[in-house]
């Protein structure tokens, strides 16, 4: 069977390696960093991700037993918990039928994937930074920056080396690749809400907590140790202006009063002074392959801002789509890679754009009465029309059988109906005459 070099031992690279190895390919992984499982590399902060249907579907496709092991360590979140200025809490369920997205520790997931990769006999070469890929030769020729500068020949390369992908850069020399990237004016800072003295959660653990404040917001996701990983998202100018203890405390006390007690003053100040402030990048490209020699997947092919919780889920789905194509095309690599580029592109465009759109929803629309009325109508139509009407969030997060692009096309049609009903509801409410208005008057 063909030999493959997977570049990047992140979440997506590891899953791709497992899936390809299961199909009989001779897989080797090359990773720029050191082994994250070594104790001196351990990150003491837990950073978590929401894994949802597309990610779970891909994990199960690759290995149902491994998927079950991972899913036993997640915390289901059935909705958003909105923290208002006045301290009031409002739960907004994600799905009418109670489906949840799931909070998981990112390092735990990466380490488990690495353990699984090694248990299958796949070799992982840490501290191997890819420096070039030559595609002029019959087989791709890879060079790495290490003490011995090894040169490696393989049948094909899977680039899963993240947003600043070297594989993508090298691919651009050989294919006419459309490429665009945009930094959004938003930085993020990781904070933490510890467990109480008995190790219990200080907030409801089955919600994704949001403090939406229009141009900035705070969110928190639960960890299995009783803590929450919290993230502050704000425009760069604002976050950089919070450069003194008094300014930071004053700002948090005014904007997120309940959070200061939860995070703790010292821990809040420590995070502002010592944690890195992350940039958020949105990146699209097309094509994704060069003949049967290279394919890029995961963040290397489509970085998205994190507001739909789909970056990793979509990267896992890339692996699923690739494995299905290999199956369908009896492992004919060129056919499979070409078809991947042809059929996957519109879905990747759709989710990258949806992710930016969801920033607006999370940071301010969730507070708007009009938005909430629309959500209720959406839920009612879902209830009465069953599978004939599905909210966008449901299609994206809970229905891996619906492609991202199909979800967007469907919701465009549904929007027209929703807007029409919304006008009727608002007019009814204004004149106070129709029964239907009573359904929504509470809001
Ligand atoms: P990466 O995780 O970036 O891995 C790439 C790997 O390649 C790295 O290990 C890197 O060291 C290695 N590498 C890079 N260059 C080289 C080289 N030259 N040679 C060799 N190796 C190299 N997604 C979700 O699905 N749900 C969420 O809730 C969610 N929340 C998020 C919150 C935040 C704040 C952020 C920033 C992202 C979030 N994401 C979420 C997105 C998710 O983290 C990414 O989509 C996912 O980690 C991408 O995985 P990857 O394997 O493609 O890339």
């Amino acid at each position: 069977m063909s030999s493959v070099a997977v570049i990047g031992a992140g979440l997506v690279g590891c899953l791709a390696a497992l899936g390809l190895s299961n199909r009989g390919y001779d897989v080797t992984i090359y990773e720029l960093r050191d082994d994250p499982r070594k104790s001196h590399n351990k990150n003491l902060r837990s950073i978590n991700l929401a894994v949802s249907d597309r990610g779970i579907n891909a994990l199960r496709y690759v290995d149902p037993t491994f998927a079950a092991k991972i899913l036993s360590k997640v915390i289901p979140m059935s909705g958003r918990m909105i923290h208002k200025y006045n301290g009031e809490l409002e739960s907004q369920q994600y799905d009418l039928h109670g489906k949840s997205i799931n909070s998981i520790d990112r390092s735990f997931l990466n380490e488990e994937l690495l353990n699984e990769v090694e248990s299958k006999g796949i070799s992982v070469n840490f501290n191997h930074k890819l420096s070039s890929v030559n595609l002029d030769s019959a087989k791709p020729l890879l060079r790495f920056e290490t003490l011995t500068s090894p040169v490696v020949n393989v049948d094909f390369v899977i680039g899963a080396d993240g947003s600043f992908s070297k594989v993508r850069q090298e691919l651009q020399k050989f294919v006419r690749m459309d490429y665009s990237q945009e930094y959004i004016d938003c930085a993020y800072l990781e904070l933490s809400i510890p467990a109480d003295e008995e190790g219990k959660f200080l907030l409801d653990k089955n919600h994704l907590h949001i403090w939406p404040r229009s141009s900035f917001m705070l969110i928190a996701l639960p960890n299995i140790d009783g803590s929450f990983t919290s993230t502050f998202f704000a425009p760069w100018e604002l976050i950089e202006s919070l450069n003194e203890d008094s300014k930071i405390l004053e700002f948090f006390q005014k904007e997120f009063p309940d959070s200061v007690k939860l995070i703790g003053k010292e821990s809040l100040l420590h995070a502002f002074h010592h944690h890195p402030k992350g940039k958020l990048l949105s990146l699209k490209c097309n094509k994704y392959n060069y003949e049967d020699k290279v394919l890029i997947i995961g963040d290397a092919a489509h970085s998205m801002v994190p507001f739909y919780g789909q970056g990793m889920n979509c990267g896992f789905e890339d692996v699923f789509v690739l494995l299905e194509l290999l199956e369908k095309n009896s492992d004919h690599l060129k056919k499979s890679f070409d078809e991947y580029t042809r059929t996957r592109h519109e879905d990747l465009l759709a989710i990258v754009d949806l992710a930016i759109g969801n920033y607006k929803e999370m940071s301010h629309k969730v507070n708007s009465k009009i938005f909430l009325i629309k959500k209720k109508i959406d839920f009612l139509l879902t209830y009465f029309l069953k599978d004939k009407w599905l909210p966008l969030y449901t299609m994206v997060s809970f229905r891996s059988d619906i492609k991202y692009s199909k979800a967007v096309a469907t919701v465009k049609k549904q929007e027209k109906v929703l807007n029409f009903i919304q006008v009727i509801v608002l007019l009814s409410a204004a004149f106070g005459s129709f029964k239907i208005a009573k359904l929504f008057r509470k809001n």
Side-chain angles (χ1 to χ4, degrees), residues 326-377:
L326 290 170
E327 174 71 25
K328 178 181 144 197
N329 296 317
S330 309
D331 289 285
H332 189 295
L333 291 175
K334 182 166 185 324
K335 241 188 190 171
S336 305
F337 289 4
D338 283 348
E339 194 171 337
Y340 180 96
T341 282
R342 218 172 40 247
T343 57
R344 186 76 175 136
H345 181 54
E346 59 175 354
D347 293 319
L348 300 178
L349 284 189
I351 188 58
V352 170
D353 289 340
L354 279 179
I356 293 220
N358 216 39
Y359 178 52
K360 295 183 188 133
E361 177 164 327
M362 284 174 83
S363 59
H364 64 275
K365 278 198 201 160
V366 285
N367 271 336
S368 132
K369 285 199 172 155
I370 300 228
F371 169 81
L372 292 174
I373 290 177
K374 217 167 173 176
K375 274 258 151 180
K376 278 216 163 176
I377 302 171

Side-chain angles (χ1 to χ4, degrees), residues 7-13 30-33 48-51 106 128-131 144 160-166 188 190 221 231 233 280 297-300 304 306 309-314:
I7 311 300
L11 304 172
V12 176
Y30 297 91
E31 164 57 46
L32 156 80
R33 298 195 189 121
N48 42 20
L49 298 163
V51 59
R106 181 205 293 254
H128 274 62
K129 179 178 181 184
L130 180 79
S131 56
F144 295 90
D161 49 345
S163 308
F164 304 100
S165 169
K166 186 70 189 171
Y188 71 93
E190 302 282 359
L221 279 79
T231 313
F233 293 97
L280 294 176
I297 57 174
D299 274 19
M304 63 193 79
Q310 283 293 311
M312 169 197 64
N313 285 294
C314 176

Side-chain angles (χ1 to χ4, degrees), residues 369-370 372-374 376-378 380 417-441 443:
K369 285 199 172 155
I370 300 228
L372 292 174
I373 290 177
K374 217 167 173 176
K376 278 216 163 176
I377 302 171
D378 214 9
L380 278 179
V417 181
L418 270 182
N419 288 339
F420 177 71
I421 301 179
Q422 195 187 356
V423 169
I424 295 181
V425 170
L426 289 173
L427 285 175
S428 321
F431 292 107
S433 55
F434 293 100
K435 271 190 188 160
I436 191 165
K438 289 186 186 154
L439 278 171
F440 301 94
R441 196 165 293 151
N443 293 295

Side-chain angles (χ1 to χ4, degrees), residues 42-314:
K42 287 238 183 272
N43 188 343
L44 294 176
R45 290 184 290 139
S46 19
I47 297 181
N48 42 20
L49 298 163
V51 59
S52 52
D53 203 43
R54 291 170 200 272
I56 295 169
N57 179 51
L59 281 167
R60 286 194 176 128
Y61 185 85
V62 169
D63 188 337
T65 315
F66 177 66
K69 184 174 173 192
I70 295 300
L71 289 174
S72 69
K73 299 282 187 216
V74 301
I75 299 187
M77 300 177 290
S78 61
R80 299 165 172 155
M81 185 71 85
I82 307 300
H83 292 243
K84 300 185 179 172
Y85 273 109
N86 60 7
E88 260 178 44
L89 299 179
E90 179 184 301
S91 167
Q92 297 176 359
Q93 292 301 295
Y94 283 127
D95 178 69
L96 190 66
H97 308 291
K99 288 188 185 153
S100 304
I101 57 172
N102 307 283
S103 178
I104 186 161
D105 188 304
R106 181 205 293 254
S107 2
F108 163 79
L109 180 57
N110 209 161
E111 289 179 17
E112 286 297 318
L113 278 161
L114 282 168
N115 291 340
E116 191 67 14
V117 154
E118 286 185 346
S119 77
K120 301 279 167 177
I122 300 167
S123 84
V124 190
N125 297 286
F126 292 103
N127 303 307
H128 274 62
K129 179 178 181 184
L130 180 79
S131 56
S132 73
V133 182
N134 186 349
L135 297 173
D136 278 333
S137 46
K139 288 181 173 192
L141 195 66
L142 309 176
R143 270 174 211 282
F144 295 90
E145 266 175 40
T146 65
L147 288 177
T148 50
S149 300
V151 179
V152 174
N153 240 175
V154 281
D155 291 315
F156 71 100
V157 180
I158 296 290
D161 49 345
S163 308
F164 304 100
S165 169
K166 186 70 189 171
V167 180
R168 185 183 65 233
Q169 268 178 36
E170 295 293 281
L171 188 58
Q172 281 172 306
K173 297 177 188 164
F174 291 86
V175 297
R176 292 190 311 276
M177 183 193 284
D178 292 330
Y179 173 78
S180 66
Q181 73 167 52
E182 182 192 347
Y183 282 103
I184 64 163
D185 180 21
C186 181
Y188 71 93
L189 177 74
E190 302 282 359
L191 308 165
S192 173
I193 298 174
D196 73 6
E197 279 145 19
E198 292 166 21
K200 292 198 181 123
F201 290 95
L202 287 172
L203 295 168
D204 183 304
K205 71 173 167 111
N206 295 119
H207 279 85
L208 191 160
H209 293 263
I210 311 182
W211 291 253
R213 301 291 185 259
S214 218
S215 63
F216 52 88
M217 68 175 164
L218 186 69
I219 66 167
L221 279 79
N223 297 308
I224 44 176
D225 64 359
S227 67
F228 282 81
T229 300
S230 175
T231 313
F232 174 49
F233 293 97
W236 279 95
E237 201 179 331
L238 169 62
I239 215 165
E240 281 170 349
S241 72
L242 300 175
N243 50 10
E244 286 168 23
D245 290 3
S246 58
K247 287 186 190 168
I248 299 164
L249 292 175
E250 198 182 316
F251 176 84
F252 267 69
Q253 252 140 10
K254 178 168 169 255
E255 299 295 344
F256 317 114
D258 54 340
S259 77
V260 179
K261 222 168 154 191
L262 292 166
I263 297 168
K265 281 186 189 170
E266 269 183 29
S267 157
L268 178 64
L269 295 175
H270 181 270
F272 263 88
H273 296 311
H274 299 286
H275 293 176
K277 294 177 181 92
K279 317 178 192 73
L280 294 176
L281 176 67
S282 185
L283 181 157
K284 298 172 186 168
C285 66
N286 187 31
K287 316 170 36 162
Y288 304 97
N289 74 303
Y290 175 62
E291 298 180 352
D292 55 355
K293 293 181 177 172
V294 180
L295 179 74
I296 50 172
I297 57 174
D299 274 19
H302 49 73
S303 288
M304 63 193 79
V305 294
F307 306 112
Y308 228 112
Q310 283 293 311
M312 169 197 64
N313 285 294
C314 176

